[in-house]
Amino acid sequence: MKLTWKYDQENINWKELSNLYRIAPLGEKKAENLQKAFVNSMFKCFVFDSSTLIGVGRALADGIDCSYICDVAVHPEWQGIGLGKEIIEKLTVLSKDHKKIILYTNPGKEGFYKKLGFSRMNTAMAIFQDQTFALEVGLVNET
């Protein structure tokens, strides 16, 4: 299997990307919203097996202080081969000149990111559009 890595959004099929998030499963993300998010992100990785989009990730970054890695997804048929790890590593390298690289994860996945050099933050705070859902799934707590 020869994978192709792409670091810009030129010729990306946004509906295919939306489907990848749905089946990964990372939820429903509209194609037009994904396009806007990726265009506005400094760093992005798209991974293809032949012409099939199988992995993706992006980092919002300001060029000096903070890079926020987000929206990492791997197609279910390619999960478990280290592709997610490789996407995170590439985004981390692209973000290396920033003072801090941040990401948040779903509860229970912290160990995966710890192995990649990330440490738990004690001071992170968040406001979610759907705060009730964020509380229910454990992304935030009221304490």
Side-chain angles (χ1 to χ4, degrees):
M1 160 177 54
K2 181 170 178 353
L3 302 181
T4 303
W5 289 74
K6 189 171 166 37
Y7 300 97
D8 63 58
Q9 64 274 354
E10 189 176 328
N11 299 318
I12 294 299
N13 180 328
W14 300 105
K15 288 182 182 179
E16 181 182 16
L17 181 59
S18 177
N19 184 58
L20 175 61
Y21 282 106
R22 185 181 56 73
I23 65 174
L26 292 176
E28 296 292 329
K29 296 180 184 261
K30 293 180 180 177
E32 59 271 15
N33 292 347
L34 287 169
Q35 182 176 11
K36 185 174 186 178
F38 275 83
V39 166
N40 288 324
S41 298
M42 182 176 282
F43 307 117
K44 59 272 292 181
C45 293
F46 300 93
V47 187
F48 295 87
D49 184 358
S50 189
S51 63
T52 303
L53 180 62
I54 63 165
V56 66
R58 66 186 181 94
L60 285 167
D62 59 24
I64 192 150
D65 184 52
C66 183
S67 180
Y68 163 55
I69 296 175
C70 51
D71 288 340
V72 176
V74 176
H75 191 291
E77 292 179 22
W78 284 267
Q79 290 177 4
I81 62 167
L83 189 55
K85 175 184 175 192
E86 201 170 346
I87 292 169
I88 294 290
E89 288 172 340
K90 290 199 186 274
L91 289 169
T92 301
V93 168
L94 290 168
S95 300
K96 69 179 174 19
D97 293 328
H98 290 79
K99 290 181 182 177
K100 57 189 166 283
I101 302 170
I102 297 171
L103 60 78
Y104 78 87
T105 182
N106 288 323
K109 302 291 185 186
E110 298 89 350
F112 172 78
Y113 294 103
K114 187 168 179 70
K115 290 178 190 173
L116 297 175
F118 289 87
S119 299
R120 180 181 296 275
M121 290 181 63
N122 294 326
T123 57
M125 306 293 285
I127 298 172
F128 285 84
Q129 187 176 29
D130 187 345
Q131 194 76 4
T132 302
F133 176 77
L135 281 164
E136 287 172 3
V137 301
L139 295 176
V140 295
N141 59 57
E142 294 187 48
T143 59

